[in-house]
Amino acid sequence: MQTIYAAKFARRYVGPTSQWTRERWATSDGDFVDVDWCQDGAPQGEEAPLLVLFHGLEGSSNSHYAQAFAAETRARGWHMAVPHFRGCSGELNWAPRAYHSGDFEEIGWMLSRFRSQYHGPMFAVGISLGGNALMRWAGEMGRAATQVLDGVASVCSPVDLTTSGNAIDSGFNKAVYARMFLATMKPRALQKLKQFPGLFDPMELMAANTLYAFDDVFTAPLHGFRGTDDYWDRASAKPGLSRVQVPALVLNARNDPFIPASSLPTKDQVSEHVTLWQPETGGHVGFTAGRFPGDLKEMPWAVLEWMTQHG
């Protein structure tokens, strides 16, 4: 209920809708990524911090959490940017690759690009899938991450992809959430097949009724994994949390329907630079506060407050 309520009913911001300016970045493989910059009275110059927000599965700058963070950065006078994973900005990308939960190479390229053009304080937040990829990057980079960012945070991220994937593919989650994700992922994959005939078997794709089956046909082989099991195992951020050297916040509600509490990292599994926040409630990015219909400002405020104090 918290998950659905936050996404569908709670207030995302107070005042006017956030305004975005889009910038297209060319990639080294002849493709592109679209970056949306929040223009809601953002300060000029580099004295203010920059927040880079990586969206979740099938997300964008229009997602409820992105709009809530935009409102909070506006209130603080921060800059904010939302880089879209390939295919998520409303236009099909040009290359065969798409995006996946452990895409830390793409995260690294994006962050390096931001750092090359912005020299003030810089933080990154990843939501769900984006948070797993971001923490995967932080674990891979180790101390070098501190040369790029002042702090990172993941929000409701499935850092153990196998456990979370199995949870989404079961019971109520399969009937509601898996079906919702597949409703947009399958058509996009078929568009990709038109670009690159023979990329995968369309009959197997259409028969997939779980994220596991979809990843086995499309995501895993397209990105160099042997199958879903190999993908979920190698792409999970949890094993690398002990190597994180940049200030990091890992926030997960213990009643998240996608992420069983038993799979959440414990203090002995992370480095001294990682702070674990595991409130009992909040669902999947479902943190709301205030009287009906409630609003989403509490979580972005808390995350940015943590970054201000620890970055």
Side-chain angles (χ1 to χ4, degrees):
M1 290 177 64
Q2 291 175 329
T3 302
I4 295 172
Y5 183 83
K8 299 296 184 181
F9 304 108
R11 288 191 299 265
R12 305 177 178 195
Y13 48 82
V14 176
T17 304
S18 296
Q19 300 298 310
W20 305 89
T21 297
R22 178 156 293 181
E23 182 179 0
R24 177 158 291 185
W25 291 353
T27 64
S28 60
D29 59 347
D31 206 351
F32 69 90
V33 295
D34 286 330
V35 179
D36 283 357
W37 293 87
C38 188
Q39 298 299 314
D40 296 344
Q44 300 299 312
E46 297 187 345
E47 68 281 357
L50 167 65
L51 177 69
V52 179
L53 185 140
F54 294 101
H55 62 78
L57 182 64
E58 299 296 275
S60 70
S61 60
N62 192 49
S63 296
H64 64 289
Y65 49 79
Q67 293 182 356
F69 268 99
E72 181 59 31
T73 55
R74 177 174 63 234
R76 291 172 180 261
W78 288 26
H79 301 279
M80 177 176 166
V82 178
H84 292 85
F85 293 117
R86 301 195 198 197
C88 292
S89 63
E91 182 177 337
L92 194 67
N93 63 303
W94 301 330
R97 86 186 302 284
Y99 70 103
H100 63 86
S101 297
D103 208 353
F104 69 92
E105 295 97 340
E106 189 89 311
I107 291 276
W109 174 78
M110 291 175 177
L111 290 175
S112 294
R113 177 74 180 260
F114 279 114
R115 177 48 77 196
S116 69
Q117 66 186 63
Y118 190 83
H119 304 293
M122 194 168 92
F123 301 91
V125 173
I127 309 296
S128 195
L129 173 149
N132 181 78
L134 176 61
M135 289 301 173
R136 181 91 166 78
W137 171 84
E140 289 290 325
M141 292 291 288
R143 176 59 60 182
T146 62
Q147 303 301 310
V148 182
L149 291 173
D150 294 279
V152 299
S154 66
V155 177
C156 298
S157 297
V159 294
D160 180 339
L161 289 170
T162 298
T163 304
S164 295
N166 290 334
I168 295 176
D169 282 343
S170 302
F172 178 84
N173 288 343
K174 177 182 177 182
V176 177
Y177 301 120
R179 184 168 63 177
M180 176 189 70
F181 288 133
L182 291 172
T184 59
M185 293 162 66
K186 283 184 177 181
R188 189 175 297 164
L190 292 174
Q191 287 181 299
K192 185 64 61 179
L193 185 63
K194 290 182 180 179
Q195 285 180 303
F196 301 95
L199 194 62
F200 58 84
D201 186 332
M203 298 301 292
E204 289 186 7
L205 182 93
M206 293 308 298
N209 65 353
T210 62
L211 293 187
Y212 184 98
F214 179 90
D215 285 345
D216 217 38
V217 175
F218 182 78
T219 313
L222 195 64
H223 298 100
F225 299 100
R226 294 189 300 273
T228 298
D229 291 328
D230 181 48
Y231 162 40
W232 287 359
D233 180 59
R234 290 168 53 196
S236 294
K238 186 177 179 180
L241 293 178
S242 61
R243 302 191 299 271
V244 172
Q245 297 294 304
V246 66
L249 172 65
V250 178
L251 168 60
N252 292 94
R254 297 187 67 83
N255 69 341
D256 189 323
F258 299 171
I259 306 171
S262 60
S263 72
L264 296 179
T266 56
K267 190 173 181 179
D268 64 325
Q269 294 175 317
V270 305
S271 79
E272 62 181 348
H273 302 280
V274 177
T275 298
L276 300 177
W277 282 2
Q278 297 176 358
E280 291 298 321
T281 63
H284 190 73
V285 201
F287 304 100
T288 58
R291 295 182 177 180
F292 182 86
D295 59 64
L296 304 175
K297 65 182 181 180
E298 185 175 60
M299 184 270 288
W301 178 88
V303 171
L304 296 193
E305 195 68 13
W306 183 92
M307 288 183 160
T308 299
Q309 295 176 13
H310 293 84

